[in-house]
Structure formats: structure tokens, C-alpha cells
Amino acid sequence: MAILRFQALKESSHRKPIPFQEPTRRSEIFAKNVFGEKAMRQFLTRDSYKSVMDAIQNGSKIDRNLADHISTGMKEWSISKGATHYTHWFQPLTGSSAEKHDAFFETVEDGSAIEKFGGGALVQQEPDASSFPNGGIRNTFEARGYTAWDPTSPAFILGTTLCIPTVFVSYTGEALDYKTPLLRSLQALDQAATQVAKYFDKKVTKITATLGWEQEYFLIDSALASSRPDIMMSGRTLLGHSPAKGQQLDDHYFGSIPSRVLNYMKEMENECMLLGIPVKTRHNEVAPNQFELAPIFEEANLAVDHNTLLMDVMEKVAEKHHFKVLFHEKPFAGVNGSGKHNNWSLATDTGVNLLSPGSTPMKNLQFLAFFVNTIKAVNDNEELLRGTIATASNDHRLGANEAPPAIISVFIGSQLTEVLDELEKVTDGKLSPQEKTELKLNVVGKIPEILLDNTDRNRTSAFAFTGNKFEFRAVGSTANCANPMTVLNSIVAKQLKEFKEEVDVLIKKKKMKKDDAIFNVLREYIKDSKRIRFEGDGYGEAWEIEAKKRGLSNNKSTPEALKIKKAQSTIDLYESVGVMNRVEVESRHEIEVEEYALHIQIEGRVLGDIARNHIIPTAIKYQNVLIENVKGLKEIYGKDFKKYAKEQLMIIENISNHIEKINSGITDMIEERKKANKLEDSEEKAFAYGNEVKPYFEIIRYHCDKLELLVDDEVWPLTKYRELLFTK
């Protein structure tokens, strides 16, 4: 193993940046491999083009009679681009995308062959639904599931394959993917938000949720990554002593991008351009060998597809540049982990960002309505939001003084807090002319001016308002963005429906004017949601004590956080907005607790294997060297040898103590795993793995890392942190 380590170090030290010449104008290649409007105009009939555009813009169904025309045009376009195969590209509950490739190839009766792609193959296919996570919805012998074309996300070519974004549902219609609930939540939000927006502009007919994700990641030389079994099997280092230098000098953040990495970024971004992924920003992140990229905002469904596709592209391009991409939220102890901040907003079909105030009091009131309702939605569902970002890997990051804690709070800045404080004083009932003037001119009217200078950021807030959007900062870097976006869309949709009902009651029954009714309802929401607003430092015990007083949840582990996802209140929420039914909700909870237990199980097995098969044998070998040294000193110095062998004897003893602790820790961990594996209830098993198995990880790691400091570097088997983090 030590030989492998030094071979990897030698290989990585001789790496040269792989040249890549990016185009001068990205605009010229943007979306060249996407079957977008330009390609559809060229390859589809007028009726086919209109049918697809109606589906994209209005959600209308595509006539099956036109499907053959659309598939023919799509086939001819993709073949002209070098495609030989097609696939339904979907996002099952595995956390990654899935695809099965079929060739544009069929034989005919005379023995010849043709390229064929019919409307039926475009619209629907039947993959095996029992082999994907389904939470008990499908039995192994009930294999049938359906993938169905999602025309709102354009087809694209990856390599030589035409990829058609689809939903994935069971034979009985339940969602088995991330996209289906997301699309339903977007529809629910559109309907609810449009009705509220009409208070301010009757011309609004559609509202779109927008998303701008920020993807953080580590890049490690592929040879060094391959020399670490823990990285290859679990995506993170389970062992490794912190190097003398980490990120404490802040010299990596926004620093000059290393040449090898920059060339990788150039090629990766070039691939993104061809696929229509509008990546714009790249930079060094805080930790050594950590980086970030971010795109221009897009419609949420398309943004989710693009992020999922991006992660696949990043890994494929990394192989060409001899890198391994680590998306794990905490691949290295002692330095910052990686998140995927989800920046969310709402846009009207009239071109207005509803979370960005206009220049008039009426536009500002519109902003306040959506701003306050979003805060109220988060307040009422903070535990569910925490649950939606709960994974075994994200547990390592949340609350680690680098990311938001496990407590959900909303940060809006001191100036907007003052605005809400003023609105809280609004009179109960009809406003006097003087009060209306005061509100519109001195409170509501000043919002654009406030936001212009309100650039405060709070890294410790899970949900922060950042000028014209809300940033859900607690999302993990491995996450599928659809999961948190589905929850956020759903809770805001439900909240806006309730807001509309309350305002209408005041208008119709209390005979209030519209503005009076809106102000009155918002006032109550501001009062109700004060507990979720927090402007201070979210790290440490003081905030935990304060949060408990406020009645906020603090679910620090994934099994704890996931309990809310099967609660009756959650089922009622989803059913009220038509996003998921009871079967779908409960099955997802089952999948997520199973996945948590499996992650801990895999890590435990890998850790035990490395510690017993690599660390302990290496320590014993080095201990034997020391013993031979002590024997030699005894031969030379006789009974006085201890005077000269004092330090060696101490190291020999320390090594034995650490070996004993490691071995006993592994034995106890295995026993706890056996107990956990006997549990039939998935949730009980998840808690057992989290509470009884996982604590041994740190015990075993501690003693292994101590041995790393004692054993000769020349024989240490695992590539060290200083080599993983500082090899450029």
C-alpha cells in the first residue's frame, strides 16, 4: 500500500496541464447540442413546433398524432449532430441520473436497415421500476414503470446519445423520481402566486419559480484519489491527520486558479455551453483544492436538470484531466465542506421579479406580500425544510462553523427588519388617510432605497434574503436541487393560497379596501413569524438556547430530521397543493432512512477494512523495526540500554495502546452493526446506525491518526492530507 502511495505521488507530481483552447465567443456555441427553439424551427413542422411551444409555455398536452412528426425532426437533428442512440434521461431516487441507450436502428423485411425513432419511443418507455429505490411501492416481481417525456426541458446530445428529459412513475402512477413532484410543485406555485399577483397587476397570467444554484466541489489528482480506498468507496476520507497548514491563512479563497484546474474548468465550461448550461462564475473556495461554479438564473425545472447534468459532465471531463471530483459535503476533516446554495425567486410573465421591489409604493407592496408570505411559509415549515436537506453526508457539514447550523432561521438584514417592525404597528382594520400616506411614503416607499445598500450577508443563516431572492444555504453539495425546491415551492404555494383567502374575506365581508386588507393580513403574518427571523451569529450554544426558547427545531442528525417527512402535517401539506399523496410521501421517507443506514454501513465496513488490513499491519511492522533497534541497543549497552532506548520504548508502548484501541473499537462497531442489521423497521435501523455504530468512527479514526504521527512516513500506507490537499 505504501508503494501505491508513492507511485501515486510520483505520477501526480509529473502532471502537466492538458491544453484546451476555448472559443473566443461563448455565445456562438451556447446550446448547440440542445434541441431548443432554433433547432425546432428548422427540423419541425409548423404544427409540431407550435404544439411543443404550447406545452412549454402553457403546460398544454401534445397531440399524440404530432408525436411522430416531432420524433422524426428530433431524430434528424440529432443524427446531423453525430448521435447514434437515444435515451430517456431521468432522475430516480438514487441521487443521480439514469439512462438506457437504444440505437436509431431497425432492420426491415428485405434485410436492410433504417434509422428509426417513432413518436411512441419519444413520449413513453418502460424501464424496470423495481430495481430503483421505491420505498415498497413496487415489488421485485412488479417491474413495470414508465418514463414520460417532459417537453419543458429540452432534449440534448451528450456524446453520441440524444437524451430526452423525462419523469419516472410507477405502473400505478406514483412518482419514483425527483422531477415529477417538482413539476407538480411548480404548477401549484404558479396557480397560487398568480392569483395573488393579480392584486397588483391584472395582466399577470403565469408565475415561474427561478433557481440559481452554486456548486462547490473538491478536485483531487486521480492517482492520489485512487490510492485512498475510503475516497473511492465512500467519497470522503475516513482517516487522516490534519496537516500543519490547512485553510487558516485564507490564501486559497479567490486566489489564482491553478493551471491544471483552470484548463479543466475551461473544457468543462465549454461542454456546459454546448449543453445550454449557462455557467458564469468560477473561483477558488475556502479550503485547499476546493472550487465553486455558478450559473445565470433559470426556470427552476430546467435549472435542476442542468445541475444534475453538470455533475455528470464534471466527472467525465475530470477523467480527461486526471482529476477526481469530490461532491461529498465533508470529504476532509478540519477544512470547510461543500454546499450547493439554492437561490430562489419568482418571476411573472410580464417580466417582474416578485422579490425585487419596483419604483412605486404599489410595486413595493407587491414585493412585501411575497416577501412576508415566504418568511411565514418558512416559519410554519422550518422542520420540514430541515428534513429536506438531511443526508448522512450533509450531517458532517451543518453546524460545523462553516455552514448554517441544523436550526433553520431567516436572515433579512437590519433595515428590512425595521420595515417589518413598522408594518407590525399597522392599525387593526381600515387605515386612516394619514396612516396610508405614512406607510406608502415613509415605510413601503423606501424599500428600493434600502435594498440598494443592504448588502449584508449572514453565513450562519440557512435561509437568507440577498437583495432580490432568497438563498437556501443549507443544501448539500451532493443534493438533487429538486428535493429542497419541491418543498419550498409547496410551502409557499400553500401559504399564498391561505393569504389570498384571508385577504378576500376582509375585502368581501369586512368591506375593506384591497390595500387595507393586505396590510392587515401581512401585519399578523409578521407577528406570527418573528421567531424565525434571526440576525445574529448562528454558531454556538447561545443560539441553540435562544432557538429552543423560540420553539424552533434543532434536529442534528438525519434520522431525527427525517421524521417530519412522514408526519400527518407533511402529508396534508402535499395533498393540499397536489404535489404528492400519502403513498409517495411515506415511500420517500422509507427510501431516505434506508439510504442513511446503508451509507453508515458502507463507511463502517470501509473504515474497519482500512484500519485492520492497512493501518494495524503497518504499525506492527514499524513497531518491529523499533524492537530490533532496542535489541541492538541492549546488545551494545547491556543493562544501561534503557537510558538510550527510552523514547523507542515509549513509542512501542504507544503503538500497542493505539492498536488495542483500534482493534477493540472495530470489534465493538461490528457487534453494533450486527444488532442494527437485525432490526426490520427501517427507521429504527437508521437510528441504530446513527446512535450506536457511527460514534465508533471517531474513536477508531482518532487512534489511527495518532499512529500516522508515530509511524515512519516511508511506510505509511495512506496518502496523507498534505498530499491530497496541496498537490495542484
Side-chain angles (χ1 to χ4, degrees), residues 356-403:
S356 179
S359 56
T360 65
M362 180 55 72
K363 290 292 185 184
N364 295 351
L365 183 55
Q366 176 179 262
F367 158 76
L368 279 170
F370 286 93
F371 177 69
V372 172
N373 271 282
T374 302
I375 294 172
K376 176 71 160 55
V378 173
N379 176 76
D380 293 354
N381 299 276
E382 47 88 15
E383 194 169 9
L384 181 57
L385 272 180
R386 166 65 182 100
T388 199
I389 48 146
T391 63
S393 52
N394 208 22
D395 278 357
H396 294 283
R397 170 177 163 265
L398 295 179
N401 289 342
E402 67 201 54

Side-chain angles (χ1 to χ4, degrees), residues 264-559:
Y264 160 73
M265 288 177 169
K266 288 177 180 178
E267 184 165 359
M268 179 263 291
E269 290 173 6
N270 187 74
E271 291 298 313
C272 288
M273 288 296 107
L274 292 169
L275 293 166
I277 306 173
V279 293
K280 185 176 178 67
T281 302
R282 65 189 182 206
H283 63 83
N284 289 4
E285 254 301 332
V286 174
N289 276 347
Q290 185 187 31
F291 307 93
E292 180 181 305
L293 64 85
I296 297 170
F297 280 54
E298 297 180 282
E299 183 274 326
N301 177 45
L302 183 58
V304 167
D305 281 0
H306 278 167
N307 182 253
T308 303
L309 177 57
L310 168 95
M311 294 169 77
D312 188 27
V313 169
M314 288 175 71
E315 290 179 330
K316 288 177 178 175
V317 176
E319 290 177 8
K320 295 173 64 176
H321 290 259
H322 307 294
F323 281 122
K324 171 77 173 173
V325 182
L326 302 184
F327 290 116
H328 193 287
E329 282 80 0
K330 193 76 171 178
F332 301 100
V335 297
N336 276 15
S338 299
K340 178 150 45 191
H341 305 162
N342 279 207
N343 295 278
W344 174 91
S345 192
L346 298 170
T348 70
D349 56 350
T350 58
V352 174
N353 178 352
L354 293 172
L355 290 176
S356 179
S359 56
T360 65
M362 180 55 72
K363 290 292 185 184
N364 295 351
L365 183 55
Q366 176 179 262
F367 158 76
L368 279 170
F370 286 93
F371 177 69
V372 172
N373 271 282
T374 302
I375 294 172
K376 176 71 160 55
V378 173
N379 176 76
D380 293 354
N381 299 276
E382 47 88 15
E383 194 169 9
L384 181 57
L385 272 180
R386 166 65 182 100
T388 199
I389 48 146
T391 63
S393 52
N394 208 22
D395 278 357
H396 294 283
R397 170 177 163 265
L398 295 179
N401 289 342
E402 67 201 54
I407 304 164
I408 300 295
S409 66
V410 176
F411 172 83
I412 63 173
S414 59
Q415 292 171 305
L416 278 172
T417 297
E418 290 177 11
V419 170
L420 297 194
D421 288 344
E422 288 295 321
L423 288 174
E424 193 179 334
K425 301 172 186 175
V426 171
T427 304
D428 186 5
K430 295 180 180 179
L431 277 66
S432 68
Q434 183 178 348
E435 285 176 315
K436 281 190 177 182
T437 302
E438 173 72 17
L439 276 172
K440 290 186 176 180
L441 294 181
N442 298 331
V443 180
V444 179
K446 288 185 177 179
I447 291 175
E449 187 180 317
I450 288 170
L451 293 188
L452 189 64
D453 299 317
N454 186 18
T455 56
D456 288 347
R457 299 284 296 277
N458 188 330
R459 295 175 63 251
T460 69
S461 176
F463 201 82
F465 185 70
T466 55
N468 58 0
K469 61 190 182 300
F470 280 100
E471 182 180 18
F472 194 8
R473 296 181 53 83
V475 181
S477 51
T478 59
N480 185 308
C481 295
N483 207 12
M485 289 301 98
T486 297
V487 172
L488 184 55
N489 293 338
S490 300
I491 64 175
V492 174
K494 181 176 182 292
Q495 178 56 48
L496 289 171
K497 282 176 65 178
E498 293 174 358
F499 173 71
K500 176 75 165 52
E501 290 169 2
E502 290 185 49
V503 171
D504 285 350
V505 165
L506 293 180
I507 292 172
K508 292 173 184 176
K509 294 187 176 180
K510 300 289 185 178
K511 305 301 180 183
M512 283 189 191
K513 290 186 177 180
K514 180 179 65 180
D515 287 6
D516 292 349
I518 290 172
F519 276 125
N520 272 265
V521 175
L522 290 181
R523 179 198 63 228
E524 296 307 310
Y525 287 176
I526 291 167
K527 291 177 183 177
D528 293 343
S529 58
K530 283 187 85 168
R531 67 167 191 153
I532 201 74
R533 299 195 334 249
F534 179 63
E535 306 298 311
D537 185 354
Y539 297 148
E541 188 179 353
W543 168 229
E544 291 194 14
I545 294 170
E546 172 64 21
K548 187 175 182 179
K549 289 179 182 176
R550 297 185 182 198
L552 297 174
S553 66
N554 185 13
N555 297 322
K556 294 185 178 182
S557 74
T558 288

Side-chain angles (χ1 to χ4, degrees), residues 141-364:
F141 60 86
E142 297 173 317
R144 183 174 292 177
Y146 295 112
T147 51
W149 178 33
D150 170 21
T152 64
S153 184
F156 56 90
I157 295 172
L158 192 61
T160 58
T161 304
L162 170 67
C163 299
I164 302 155
T166 62
V167 299
F168 180 40
V169 297
S170 72
Y171 178 69
T172 47
E174 291 90 4
L176 295 174
D177 65 344
Y178 287 110
K179 180 185 275 283
T180 303
L182 175 67
L183 290 173
R184 293 172 183 165
S185 74
L186 289 167
Q187 183 178 21
L189 183 60
D190 172 23
Q191 293 171 351
T194 298
Q195 292 304 309
V196 173
K198 285 183 179 294
Y199 282 142
F200 310 98
D201 184 356
K202 298 291 185 183
K203 296 177 182 177
V204 174
T205 59
K206 183 177 178 60
I207 288 177
T208 302
T210 62
L211 170 63
W213 38 262
E214 303 167 27
Q215 182 69 59
E216 295 176 341
Y217 61 100
F218 283 82
L219 276 182
I220 306 301
D221 185 271
S222 56
L224 299 182
S226 296
S227 72
R228 292 283 308 220
D230 46 0
I231 289 179
M232 300 309 293
M233 297 298 291
S234 69
R236 75 177 180 109
T237 55
L238 298 169
L239 300 168
H241 197 280
S242 296
K245 179 190 174 187
Q247 64 187 47
Q248 61 266 49
L249 296 179
D250 297 323
D251 53 347
H252 188 257
Y253 191 51
F254 278 23
S256 176
I257 300 173
S259 299
R260 276 185 69 198
V261 175
L262 186 59
N263 282 14
Y264 160 73
M265 288 177 169
K266 288 177 180 178
E267 184 165 359
M268 179 263 291
E269 290 173 6
N270 187 74
E271 291 298 313
C272 288
M273 288 296 107
L274 292 169
L275 293 166
I277 306 173
V279 293
K280 185 176 178 67
T281 302
R282 65 189 182 206
H283 63 83
N284 289 4
E285 254 301 332
V286 174
N289 276 347
Q290 185 187 31
F291 307 93
E292 180 181 305
L293 64 85
I296 297 170
F297 280 54
E298 297 180 282
E299 183 274 326
N301 177 45
L302 183 58
V304 167
D305 281 0
H306 278 167
N307 182 253
T308 303
L309 177 57
L310 168 95
M311 294 169 77
D312 188 27
V313 169
M314 288 175 71
E315 290 179 330
K316 288 177 178 175
V317 176
E319 290 177 8
K320 295 173 64 176
H321 290 259
H322 307 294
F323 281 122
K324 171 77 173 173
V325 182
L326 302 184
F327 290 116
H328 193 287
E329 282 80 0
K330 193 76 171 178
F332 301 100
V335 297
N336 276 15
S338 299
K340 178 150 45 191
H341 305 162
N342 279 207
N343 295 278
W344 174 91
S345 192
L346 298 170
T348 70
D349 56 350
T350 58
V352 174
N353 178 352
L354 293 172
L355 290 176
S356 179
S359 56
T360 65
M362 180 55 72
K363 290 292 185 184
N364 295 351

